[in-house]
């Protein structure tokens, strides 16, 4: 799991794809953290992407490395929403800026998810692929 996290750290952004009915919906995401040996991502509960996850938890994440030019990662799995207080605390410690948008004043909540049945493959342009999780 740590290899997946480190790869994502070498990317400016990653693209998070959900399913809306029978169509994919892809968005740039930035928040990620390791907590309890799981890789977590986060999104606002007021967003369409959150509603899509509740209906269909299948997601795919894709990112191109800025550190290793020509390498990209594809991560697949089923999103599990983890609303525990300790996860929320860890999220705000990892990214304090989130509390400026997600707070009692705005009424918005930022929820964390991790992926079960996850797989992660790094594709090296012209050099093949490597399953890292």
């Amino acid at each position: 799991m740590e290899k997946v996290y480190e790869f994502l750290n070498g990317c400016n952004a990653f693209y998070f794809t959900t399913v809306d009915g029978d169509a994919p919906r892809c968005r740039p995401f930035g928040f990620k953290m390791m907590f309890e040996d799981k890789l977590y991502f986060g999104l606002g509960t007021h967003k369409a992407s959150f509603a899509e996850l509740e209906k269909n938890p299948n997601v795919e994440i894709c990112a191109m490395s800025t550190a290793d030019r020509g390498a990209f990662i594809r991560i697949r799995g089923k999103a599990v929403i983890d609303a525990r207080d300790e996860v929320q605390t860890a999220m705000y410690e990892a990214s304090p800026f989130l509390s400026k948008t997600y707070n009692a004043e705005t009424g918005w909540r930022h929820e964390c998810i991790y992926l079960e049945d996850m797989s992660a493959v790094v594709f090296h342009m012209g050099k093949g692929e490597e399953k890292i999780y």
Side-chain angles (χ1 to χ4, degrees):
M1 189 65 69
E2 195 67 37
K3 287 176 88 173
V4 177
Y5 181 71
E6 289 305 317
F7 190 95
L8 290 175
N9 279 338
C11 303
N12 288 333
F14 53 92
Y15 297 89
F16 193 89
T17 305
T18 57
V19 180
D20 181 14
D22 63 351
R25 296 288 182 251
C26 191
R27 302 152 176 94
F29 270 41
F31 174 77
K32 65 195 171 309
M33 73 174 182
M34 289 295 298
F35 182 71
E36 297 178 342
D37 298 320
K38 293 179 183 157
L39 177 56
Y40 280 82
F41 303 96
L43 61 162
T45 59
H46 63 286
K47 296 185 176 183
S49 54
F50 189 80
E52 292 158 9
L53 282 180
E54 290 182 308
K55 290 179 185 171
N56 185 340
N58 292 297
V59 301
E60 185 165 289
I61 298 162
C62 189
M64 176 78 74
S65 174
T66 54
D68 180 4
R69 293 190 54 83
F72 70 95
I73 192 168
R74 182 176 292 141
I75 304 164
R76 293 182 178 146
K78 291 186 181 199
V80 176
I81 299 166
D82 192 342
R84 293 180 297 147
D85 289 340
E86 53 266 44
V87 175
Q88 289 287 308
T89 299
M91 174 189 64
Y92 287 120
E93 287 174 359
S95 296
F97 68 91
L98 289 172
S99 64
K100 293 178 182 174
T101 303
Y102 299 96
N103 56 54
E105 186 178 313
T106 65
W108 289 349
R109 181 171 169 85
H110 196 261
E111 203 68 82
C112 287
I113 63 159
Y114 64 90
L115 303 182
E116 62 182 12
D117 302 326
M118 188 179 110
S119 68
V121 179
V122 174
F123 298 85
H124 301 276
M125 300 284 196
K127 299 177 188 171
E129 61 187 64
E130 170 190 10
K131 184 170 183 167
I132 62 172
Y133 194 86

